[in-house]
Amino acid sequence: MKPIPTLLLLPFLLMFFSCSDSKRYDTITGDWTCVSWTSPVQSGNQCDDNVFFTFHRDKTYYSNIGGERDTGTYWIDQRFIAFDPNDKLKIKVEVINLTSDTLSFHMNNAGIQEKMVLTRAREENLND
């Protein structure tokens, strides 16, 4: 049996990875609410009723963290979500888990690794 030339595999690999990216964008699209935000330097959960994210399929987002609201663009790769907020520095977080109902990631806050866990917001909470 002849080996398959590498050039013939390239389109299939690109299609495979683009499908994976497309699925991740489909999975993350929607409204997410913080349920856990932990840090080794602060005790307790740092989430409050005002920590949430909204991801749109067009790769734009809206967030509110501690009263600070951001809008901008985002992108996802194999292990990271990168945020490019309007008029601010870009931020990159390491994804731990992304499923249809849970998003968790590590973020670096001045050299301190923090963990945030978000769950998909339920419809009745969005109309409050």
Side-chain angles (χ1 to χ4, degrees):
M1 183 180 250
K2 286 182 154 183
I4 299 173
T6 306
L7 287 176
L8 292 177
L9 285 176
L10 187 59
F12 294 109
L13 290 173
L14 289 173
M15 188 172 71
F16 172 77
F17 286 114
S18 66
C19 290
S20 297
D21 285 346
S22 178
K23 183 171 170 72
R24 282 190 284 271
Y25 285 103
D26 288 343
T27 302
I28 202 170
T29 297
D31 299 303
W32 299 83
T33 303
C34 184
V35 293
S36 174
W37 181 1
T38 56
S39 167
V41 296
Q42 290 189 347
S43 62
N45 186 354
Q46 298 175 62
C47 285
D48 59 24
D49 293 337
N50 263 340
V51 178
F52 59 86
F53 289 80
T54 298
F55 295 98
H56 301 283
R57 186 67 175 91
D58 66 357
K59 300 178 185 172
T60 60
Y61 78 95
Y62 171 78
S63 69
N64 187 31
I65 300 175
E68 189 171 327
R69 297 171 186 224
D70 283 326
T71 59
T73 58
Y74 74 96
W75 62 97
I76 304 171
D77 68 15
Q78 293 290 328
R79 294 180 30 218
F80 298 97
I81 301 172
F83 297 90
D84 189 4
N86 297 335
D87 302 323
K88 293 185 181 178
L89 295 175
K90 294 178 184 176
I91 303 163
K92 195 173 197 181
V93 298
E94 183 178 15
V95 176
I96 302 166
N97 187 29
L98 173 58
T99 65
S100 61
D101 61 356
T102 303
L103 168 60
S104 59
F105 52 82
H106 285 133
M107 55 190 169
N108 185 330
N109 184 3
I112 298 164
Q113 188 176 39
E114 299 180 339
K115 179 181 178 182
M116 185 176 285
V117 178
L118 306 158
T119 57
R120 189 168 297 280
R122 291 184 281 161
E123 289 295 321
E124 63 267 13
N125 293 343
L126 299 177
N127 296 324
D128 290 343

